[in-house]
């Protein structure tokens, strides 16, 4: 009995050793890392396919297969980039339109400014003319009052000198009144023709060409050989041009050249210019 027990114990001991060794030795993994990744990928694909199938079955709508995550992001970014490009193109167009409108507004503003400047200049010129007319009217009134209150002096020399000084002072209104008074008071004096010449000058200045022409003509009647006579004939021709009587102006210029061949250069030069204005024959 003891012998059988000992033999059984020996057998159990022998069989226990390999079992222990088997338990301690690790079994090799039939799937390496690559295979595990492939299995995971296949499992993901299967799940996606199942989701697609269930989507079509449950909703009855066309199945929309979503792109992979990276492709979806690229597509979204591409769409956003396209939108941004469209927006930029639109903004560029608006900017060009605004630039064009701004240029038009600037041109219009420049035109308005030019017109405003022209109007300002015209206004200044009109104000000056009005002021000059007021001064001339005042001077004329003063001269008339003086002529009324103090008749022409009985001394022709003093009266002529006084009228000449008014002319030199630029007081044409008073000078005109004084020379007119002299001619009326001393028509036969030696200075009467010259007084008519200066009277014509005061009238020519204020563009009273008809009156000026009459006094120039009276001054040169008889063709006096004086230093002022050639200029009086020239002014007569210019007054006739202003009165639109070119033929008479040309005849007067012919007489100027014939009567006063030694006239000053300034007179002959202005006479040539007047010939052109009157369109006199060469």
């Amino acid at each position: 009995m003891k012998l059988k027990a000992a033999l059984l114990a020996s057998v159990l001991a022998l069989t226990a050793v390999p079992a222990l060794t088997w338990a301690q030795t690790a079994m090799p993994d039939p799937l390496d890392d690559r295979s595990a990744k492939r299995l995971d990928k296949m499992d993901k694909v299967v799940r996606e396919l199942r989701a697609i199938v269930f989507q079509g079955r449950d909703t009855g709508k066309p199945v929309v297969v979503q792109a992979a995550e990276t492709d979806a992001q690229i597509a979204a970014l591409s769409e956003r980039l396209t939108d941004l490009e469209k927006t930029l193109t639109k903004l560029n167009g608006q900017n060009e339109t605004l630039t064009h409108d701004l240029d038009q507004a600037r041109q219009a503003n420049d035109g308005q400014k030019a017109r405003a400047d022209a109007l300002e200049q015209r206004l200044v010129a009109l104000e000056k003319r009005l002021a000059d007319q007021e001064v001339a009217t005042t001077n004329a009134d003063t001269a008339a009052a003086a002529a009324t209150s103090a008749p022409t002096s009985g001394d022709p020399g003093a009266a002529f000198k006084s009228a000449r000084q008014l002319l030199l002072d630029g007081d044409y209104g008073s000078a005109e009144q004084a020379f007119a008074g002299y001619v009326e008071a001393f028509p036969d004096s030696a200075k009467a023709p010259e007084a008519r010449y200066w009277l014509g000058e005061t009238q020519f200045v204020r563009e009273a060409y008809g009156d000026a022409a009459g006094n120039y003509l009276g001054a040169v009647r008889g063709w006096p050989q004086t230093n002022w006579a050639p200029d009086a004939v020239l002014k007569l021709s210019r007054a006739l041009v202003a009165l639109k009587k070119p033929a008479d102006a040309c005849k007067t210029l012919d007489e100027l050249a014939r009567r006063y061949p030694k006239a000053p250069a300034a007179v002959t030069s202005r006479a040539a210019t007047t010939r052109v204005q009157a369109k006199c024959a060469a």
Side-chain angles (χ1 to χ4, degrees), residues 48 51-53 55-56 59-67:
E48 290 178 353
I52 292 171
V53 172
Q55 178 186 359
T59 63
K61 297 180 180 179
V63 178
V64 179
V65 179
Q66 298 293 337

Side-chain angles (χ1 to χ4, degrees), residues 7-277:
L7 289 173
L8 182 56
S10 299
V11 172
L12 290 173
L14 290 173
T15 57
V17 172
L20 180 61
T21 304
W22 175 266
Q24 293 177 352
T25 303
M27 293 291 292
D29 190 352
L31 299 176
D32 56 12
D33 291 340
R34 189 187 312 171
S35 297
K37 291 180 179 179
R38 290 181 62 190
L39 286 175
D40 290 339
K41 186 173 182 180
M42 291 176 64
D43 183 59
K44 181 178 180 181
V45 171
V46 170
R47 288 197 302 272
E48 290 178 353
L49 290 175
R50 289 184 63 189
I52 292 171
V53 172
F54 289 150
Q55 178 186 359
R57 185 190 65 184
D58 296 340
T59 63
K61 297 180 180 179
V63 178
V64 179
V65 179
Q66 298 293 337
E69 182 178 359
T70 302
D71 292 340
Q73 292 178 350
I74 292 175
L77 291 174
S78 178
E79 184 177 356
R80 289 181 61 189
L81 181 60
T82 301
D83 292 341
L84 289 174
E85 289 176 346
K86 290 180 179 179
T87 302
L88 181 59
T89 301
K90 182 178 180 181
L91 290 175
N92 286 336
Q94 293 175 349
N95 184 52
E96 291 177 357
T97 301
L98 290 174
T99 301
H100 178 266
D101 293 343
L102 181 60
D103 291 339
Q104 293 292 327
R106 285 175 177 171
Q107 293 177 3
N109 183 61
D110 291 341
Q112 293 290 345
K113 186 177 183 300
R115 285 192 289 272
D117 291 341
L119 289 174
E120 180 68 20
Q121 292 176 0
R122 290 180 60 187
L123 180 60
V124 170
L126 287 173
E127 289 177 345
K128 185 178 184 301
R129 288 182 61 184
L130 287 174
D132 292 342
Q133 289 179 359
E134 290 177 356
V135 171
T137 301
T138 302
N139 291 336
D141 293 342
T142 302
T148 303
S149 59
T152 304
S153 171
D155 182 359
F160 185 90
K161 183 178 179 181
S162 176
R164 188 79 171 87
Q165 187 60 48
L166 289 171
L167 183 64
L168 293 174
D169 293 340
D171 190 353
Y172 296 109
S174 299
E176 180 180 359
Q177 294 292 332
F179 280 118
Y182 182 94
V183 170
E184 183 178 358
F186 310 105
D188 298 326
S189 70
K191 285 286 189 180
E194 185 178 357
R196 283 186 175 274
Y197 165 66
W198 293 118
L199 178 57
E201 290 287 87
T202 62
Q203 293 164 340
F204 192 91
V205 168
R206 61 182 181 84
E207 300 180 358
Y209 298 116
D211 295 337
N215 283 300
Y216 287 136
L217 186 60
V220 298
R221 185 174 285 114
W223 307 104
Q225 297 298 316
T226 61
N227 59 347
W228 52 264
D231 187 68
V233 177
L234 171 64
K235 291 292 182 59
L236 173 58
S237 66
R238 292 178 62 190
L240 291 170
V241 171
L243 292 171
K244 300 187 184 303
K245 295 182 178 181
D248 293 339
C250 292
K251 291 178 182 179
T252 302
L253 290 169
D254 291 340
E255 287 296 323
L256 171 63
R258 188 169 69 88
R259 300 280 184 176
Y260 303 105
K262 296 182 179 181
V267 172
T268 56
S269 176
R270 284 183 294 171
T273 303
T274 307
R275 280 185 174 278
V276 174
Q277 294 174 345

